[in-house]
Amino acid sequence: MRTLRTLRKLSRNQPSLARALSTSMVRPVALPRSKTGEQKRGYKMMNFGGTEEKVIERSDYPPQKLKEVFPGKMALLGYGTQGRGQALNMRDQGLDVIVGLRKGRTWDLAKEDGWVEGESLFEIEEAADKGDVIMYMLSDAGQSMMWPKIAPYVTSGKTLYFSHGFSVVFSELTGVVPPEGVDVILAAPKGSGTTVRRLFLEGRGINASCAVYADASGKAEEKSEAIAIGVGAGYTYKTTFEKEVHSDLTGERGVLMGAVAGMFKAQYDVLRANGHSPSEAFNETVEEATQSLYPLIGENGMDWMFANCSTTAQRGALDWAPRFEKATKPVFEELYARVVDGSETQRSLDKNSQPDYHEELQKELKEYADSEMWQAGITVRSLRPERN
């Protein structure tokens, strides 16, 4: 198990930390017994910085157990990067998956991936009709627009699945209101569909959150846990639909993409304005971060990074981190407030539903791609040793 491997490694390199983790990080939970005396499925309580949370791992839901939880058809509607990765991962684990699409480019891609028209590949409405579990994987705007056509197939006894709480949490804006008599569950992998698929194939699995919005059957919690593993998670943790969408929208606009892109550009522009070459500015801003420091932070934490760099870098980073926190925290507070009050949802729906949205989006993306910084990045990346 991953936890045991981590402890063994730490026992060699950091024995005191390993001892602390072995006693405080993982707390086994006694398996409760049903009325018949059989043990129910167990789980772990793990310590996250002083707070204990329930964690479900892949070993809790092996393929045979997944098929017991989901014996019927899994109808996945939509085949974007996230939908594609999840559909393939479920199929590989033996679940009965069908895909619902409009004919076009993604339809052809699905056929290339082995989905067979009339057997496992159908038009959206037909797939929804056939599915015992309807996995609503269209884009957020697409979910809103298609809901009037999908809703009649979301009938009593079925399960409605989302990978994002967006449509349900902001139902007054999207119009997506699940009916009574259905389980409504969520599993949200913390990465792109490409990463979901790649990590699954590598035998690792991505982390994901899971949640229940409505429990008509009394089994929705188990379904939410199982489907997270089914779509490719290595482990999953509990959340709610509201918390998932609030944290997800904040992260996307913040440190996952929006904030980091803005900070990259700000530093690059300052260096260029002070006479640094494009190659130097890009290397000091993006390349060193993504290729050297970020992987180390991901592996070991920011505290480790502070403790394992030059004294000059250490002193400067420790001094400036509070200043950046002070400068950016008000922006994050404004962002979070806009997420919670629905302003970001409204903007997304308004922009994405414009008839010329894709044309305007291409203009925005081209502006980024054609900028000096990201053109310099193409050259810098071409010089990486593994590419030569």
Side-chain angles (χ1 to χ4, degrees), residues 63 66-67 74 76 79 83-99 109-116 120-121 135 197 200-201 229-232:
L66 293 178
K67 287 185 278 189
M74 316 289 287
L76 190 142
Y79 208 65
R84 183 189 185 197
Q86 294 190 23
L88 294 171
N89 290 348
M90 288 190 297
R91 186 176 70 181
D92 286 354
Q93 296 190 80
L95 294 175
D96 185 3
V97 184
I98 61 174
V99 174
L109 175 61
K111 291 176 69 174
E112 291 175 11
D113 286 342
W115 305 101
V116 179
S120 57
L121 179 61
M135 304 181 70
R197 181 61 175 163
F200 175 81
L201 291 175
I229 302 303
V231 301

Side-chain angles (χ1 to χ4, degrees), residues 7-59:
L7 289 174
R8 292 189 188 106
K9 183 177 179 181
L10 284 170
S11 66
R12 295 193 299 270
N13 302 322
Q14 300 182 52
S16 61
L17 179 57
R19 285 193 296 273
L21 287 174
S22 65
T23 58
S24 65
M25 187 171 69
V26 180
R27 179 169 66 84
V29 176
L31 295 177
R33 292 185 179 275
S34 68
K35 293 180 180 179
T36 62
E38 295 180 351
Q39 283 191 327
K40 297 179 181 179
R41 182 158 298 280
Y43 54 86
K44 290 188 182 75
M45 293 297 294
M46 298 187 70
N47 190 304
F48 291 85
T51 299
E52 289 197 339
E53 298 183 34
K54 179 180 178 180
V55 173
I56 300 93
E57 296 183 287
R58 179 181 292 171
S59 58

Side-chain angles (χ1 to χ4, degrees), residues 255-273:
V255 296
L256 300 181
M257 286 193 291
V260 73
M263 291 182 70
F264 279 161
K265 187 175 187 306
Q267 179 170 303
Y268 181 90
D269 287 350
V270 168
L271 291 175
R272 289 289 289 125

Side-chain angles (χ1 to χ4, degrees), residues 215-250:
D215 185 5
S217 69
K219 300 179 180 179
E221 182 175 3
E222 182 180 48
K223 289 179 181 179
S224 71
E225 297 172 358
I227 205 164
I229 302 303
V231 301
Y235 78 90
T236 183
Y237 59 91
K238 297 291 189 176
T239 188
T240 66
F241 270 60
E242 290 81 5
K243 286 185 172 64
E244 187 281 327
V245 72
H246 293 164
S247 60
D248 188 75
L249 293 181
T250 299

Side-chain angles (χ1 to χ4, degrees), residues 19-326:
R19 285 193 296 273
L21 287 174
S22 65
T23 58
S24 65
M25 187 171 69
V26 180
R27 179 169 66 84
V29 176
L31 295 177
R33 292 185 179 275
S34 68
K35 293 180 180 179
T36 62
E38 295 180 351
Q39 283 191 327
K40 297 179 181 179
R41 182 158 298 280
Y43 54 86
K44 290 188 182 75
M45 293 297 294
M46 298 187 70
N47 190 304
F48 291 85
T51 299
E52 289 197 339
E53 298 183 34
K54 179 180 178 180
V55 173
I56 300 93
E57 296 183 287
R58 179 181 292 171
S59 58
D60 293 316
Y61 288 97
Q64 185 56 44
K65 178 62 179 178
L66 293 178
K67 287 185 278 189
E68 292 173 10
V69 177
F70 299 112
K73 288 191 180 299
M74 316 289 287
L76 190 142
L77 312 183
Y79 208 65
T81 55
Q82 192 66 240
R84 183 189 185 197
Q86 294 190 23
L88 294 171
N89 290 348
M90 288 190 297
R91 186 176 70 181
D92 286 354
Q93 296 190 80
L95 294 175
D96 185 3
V97 184
I98 61 174
V99 174
L101 290 174
R102 291 279 181 253
K103 290 189 175 181
R105 183 177 58 83
T106 52
W107 179 279
D108 295 336
L109 175 61
K111 291 176 69 174
E112 291 175 11
D113 286 342
W115 305 101
V116 179
E117 185 173 348
E119 295 180 12
S120 57
L121 179 61
F122 303 91
E123 292 275 357
I124 292 178
E125 292 90 337
E126 186 176 1
D129 186 33
K130 291 178 179 293
D132 298 290
V133 178
I134 297 176
M135 304 181 70
Y136 208 26
M137 297 297 293
L138 302 175
S139 68
D140 293 328
Q143 288 184 14
S144 179
M145 289 186 287
M146 282 295 296
W147 182 248
K149 296 182 179 180
I150 298 302
Y153 302 106
V154 186
T155 53
S156 180
K158 288 192 175 186
T159 298
L160 181 61
Y161 164 88
F162 296 88
S163 261
H164 191 19
F166 186 98
S167 292
V168 173
V169 172
F170 297 110
S171 58
E172 72 279 6
L173 299 176
T174 65
V176 178
V177 180
E180 297 292 329
V182 301
D183 290 340
V184 183
I185 62 174
L186 172 148
K190 300 306 168 185
S192 72
T194 301
T195 307
V196 170
R197 181 61 175 163
R198 182 171 66 239
L199 293 182
F200 175 81
L201 291 175
E202 291 175 358
R204 296 160 59 192
I206 200 166
N207 57 317
S209 60
C210 63
V212 173
Y213 185 80
D215 185 5
S217 69
K219 300 179 180 179
E221 182 175 3
E222 182 180 48
K223 289 179 181 179
S224 71
E225 297 172 358
I227 205 164
I229 302 303
V231 301
Y235 78 90
T236 183
Y237 59 91
K238 297 291 189 176
T239 188
T240 66
F241 270 60
E242 290 81 5
K243 286 185 172 64
E244 187 281 327
V245 72
H246 293 164
S247 60
D248 188 75
L249 293 181
T250 299
E252 291 168 347
R253 287 150 179 77
V255 296
L256 300 181
M257 286 193 291
V260 73
M263 291 182 70
F264 279 161
K265 187 175 187 306
Q267 179 170 303
Y268 181 90
D269 287 350
V270 168
L271 291 175
R272 289 289 289 125
N274 283 277
H276 298 268
S277 68
S279 61
E280 182 172 56
F282 189 88
N283 271 287
E284 293 292 347
T285 300
V286 180
E287 191 73 354
E288 185 175 355
T290 59
Q291 297 302 296
S292 176
L293 302 188
Y294 290 177
L296 290 173
I297 295 169
E299 291 174 14
N300 304 290
M302 196 69 236
D303 54 334
W304 184 94
M305 193 71 256
F306 280 143
N308 289 273
C309 61
S310 72
T311 55
T312 302
Q314 181 184 67
R315 184 69 270 145
L318 288 169
D319 288 346
W320 278 88
R323 295 185 64 177
F324 279 108
E325 179 184 355
K326 183 178 180 180

